[in-house]
Amino acid sequence: MPIVIPKDIPAYDILDGENIFVMSNLRAQTQDIRPIEIAIVNLMPTKIETETQLLRLLANSPLQVNPTLVKTETYLSKNTSENHLNRFYTTFDKIKDKKFDGMIITGAPVETMKFEDVSYWDELTKIMDYAETNVTSTIFICWAAQAAMYHYYGIDKELLDDKLFGVFEHKKLIKFEKLLNGVDDVFYIPHSRHTKISDEKILKNPLLVPLCGSKDAGISVIKTHDNKKFFFTGHMEYDKFTLKTEYERDLEKKLKINKPVNYFTDDKCDDVNVLWRSTANIIFTNWLNYYVYQVTPYDNK
């Protein structure tokens, strides 16, 4: 089944060109199917790239998915045109009386700031509180995972000595977990962050279940026992060249940055190995199937 998105959103032509099944809103309205309603709270400055990455993963499923793109009201993006935001995004205030089957909250480039100093922190905490009772299951990615750990459990992020940057080997910490069904025993996830969540604090919290980890990147996927919250400290959604773009950006800014680990195929930094795409597709499909579709009410109002 397809993901249902407007035909004039940039992601439509990109995904259609990749032979990913996308459907326009007009065609979807003629089908007698109750689509899965997913809210995507996009905090990234590169909104078009991020929304395309996430829509690609949500489309790789047998379910019909109807995404709602959400922007912050308290902070206006400087990197995405106002026209794009007005046409394809809504605000939390306009959806707060609606229920969603799933929600994804992205990372944001504010990780070295105190949470309370982030301009949209109060708005984000309202969204996280809303998700507790109005969303069947929520994924928090990278900084959003750290923000959620802090908001829900009082676990603050910790600054790393050096940026964790690259594609890292991971292993399962639980033998049988539906989210990881079909994932190899050894798999890879990209990371790009200056901060971390303490493994020790995660392991000590009885409400949290670590699912996979890495000797370099630490515990990377965590869930709650009720399966309502999933925390991804890495970026499974990243495209082939996302880390390359970040690396070149930091070099241009003359920031301290090492080459992303286990990523480039040669010293010229021209091409890369994609080691995480199948893992990302499997995990997002499993989340949609086992933790959203299988448990969400049919009449989710």
Side-chain angles (χ1 to χ4, degrees):
M1 295 301 294
I3 188 166
V4 181
I5 54 178
K7 200 164 187 177
D8 51 349
I9 194 171
Y12 189 97
D13 287 337
I14 295 171
L15 301 181
D16 189 52
E18 296 174 6
N19 287 324
I20 291 175
F21 193 5
V22 290
M23 180 183 288
S24 67
N25 300 84
L26 183 62
R27 183 181 171 195
Q29 289 168 5
T30 66
Q31 294 194 323
D32 189 19
I33 295 172
R34 204 286 252 173
I36 298 297
E37 298 286 343
I38 304 291
I40 300 175
V41 182
N42 192 351
L43 306 176
M44 290 291 282
T46 52
K47 285 193 168 28
I48 294 175
E49 291 86 347
T50 300
E51 72 202 29
T52 302
Q53 290 167 3
L54 291 171
L55 293 174
R56 180 184 291 114
L57 290 169
L58 294 176
N60 192 44
S61 139
L63 305 170
Q64 181 171 306
V65 177
N66 185 31
T68 298
L69 299 175
V70 182
K71 64 180 179 179
T72 55
E73 226 172 350
T74 43
Y75 178 79
L76 181 63
S77 175
K78 300 174 183 176
N79 298 280
T80 306
S81 73
E82 190 174 349
N83 179 57
H84 181 85
L85 294 172
N86 289 337
R87 288 176 68 189
F88 302 117
Y89 279 74
T90 187
T91 59
F92 173 62
D93 191 58
K94 293 178 181 176
I95 64 165
K96 64 184 181 181
D97 296 323
K98 179 179 178 180
K99 290 184 181 292
F100 285 89
D101 304 304
M103 177 179 281
I104 299 171
I105 304 181
T106 74
V110 292
E111 58 180 316
T112 58
M113 297 173 63
K114 289 184 178 181
F115 291 115
E116 292 85 357
D117 291 341
V118 175
S119 60
Y120 48 81
W121 177 248
D122 288 343
E123 183 178 2
L124 182 60
T125 59
K126 290 177 183 176
I127 293 172
M128 289 191 285
D129 289 341
Y130 159 88
E132 287 268 67
T133 53
N134 294 280
V135 180
T136 301
S137 187
T138 302
I139 290 176
F140 303 89
I141 297 175
C142 199
W143 179 80
Q146 298 178 352
M149 286 284 185
Y150 180 70
H151 179 63
Y152 292 129
Y153 313 113
I155 300 175
D156 205 347
K157 63 183 184 294
E158 299 176 8
L159 189 66
L160 295 167
D161 294 331
D162 295 297
K163 183 178 183 179
L164 184 72
F165 192 43
V167 183
F168 298 93
E169 180 181 296
H170 289 67
K171 294 184 179 180
K172 299 176 184 178
L173 298 176
I174 288 186
K175 189 173 183 180
F176 299 110
E177 160 57 39
K178 290 178 181 177
L179 187 75
L180 303 178
N181 277 355
V183 174
D184 292 331
D185 291 339
V186 176
F187 53 97
Y188 294 84
I189 299 175
H191 289 261
S192 177
R193 50 188 167 88
H194 294 275
T195 53
K196 69 173 184 177
I197 306 169
S198 164
D199 285 0
E200 184 181 1
K201 291 178 181 178
I202 292 170
L203 293 169
K204 283 184 176 179
N205 192 306
L207 300 176
L208 301 174
V209 184
L211 301 183
C212 74
S214 161
K215 66 180 180 65
D216 297 306
I219 298 172
S220 297
V221 178
I222 309 107
K223 74 170 186 176
T224 53
H225 284 283
D226 60 6
N227 302 316
K228 284 186 65 65
K229 304 183 191 75
F230 288 83
F231 310 92
F232 297 174
T233 67
H235 283 285
M236 284 179 264
E237 79 282 3
Y238 269 8
D239 285 334
K240 179 176 181 177
F241 291 113
T242 305
L243 290 179
K244 182 176 187 289
T245 300
E246 292 184 4
Y247 177 60
E248 292 172 345
R249 176 203 64 199
D250 287 356
L251 285 178
E252 188 175 339
K253 291 180 177 180
K254 301 189 183 306
L255 299 175
K256 179 186 175 185
I257 185 67
N258 296 317
K259 287 183 183 179
V261 175
N262 202 26
Y263 181 65
F264 290 120
T265 57
D266 55 42
D267 292 335
K268 295 180 180 179
C269 303
D270 290 330
D271 201 12
V272 307
N273 280 322
V274 179
L275 303 173
W276 64 92
R277 184 176 292 148
S278 59
T279 296
N281 281 317
I282 291 170
I283 286 178
F284 273 80
T285 298
N286 285 345
W287 173 71
L288 275 176
N289 179 34
Y290 294 118
Y291 297 118
V292 179
Y293 172 71
Q294 298 287 354
V295 294
T296 197
Y298 181 81
D299 186 14
N300 197 7
K301 294 180 180 179

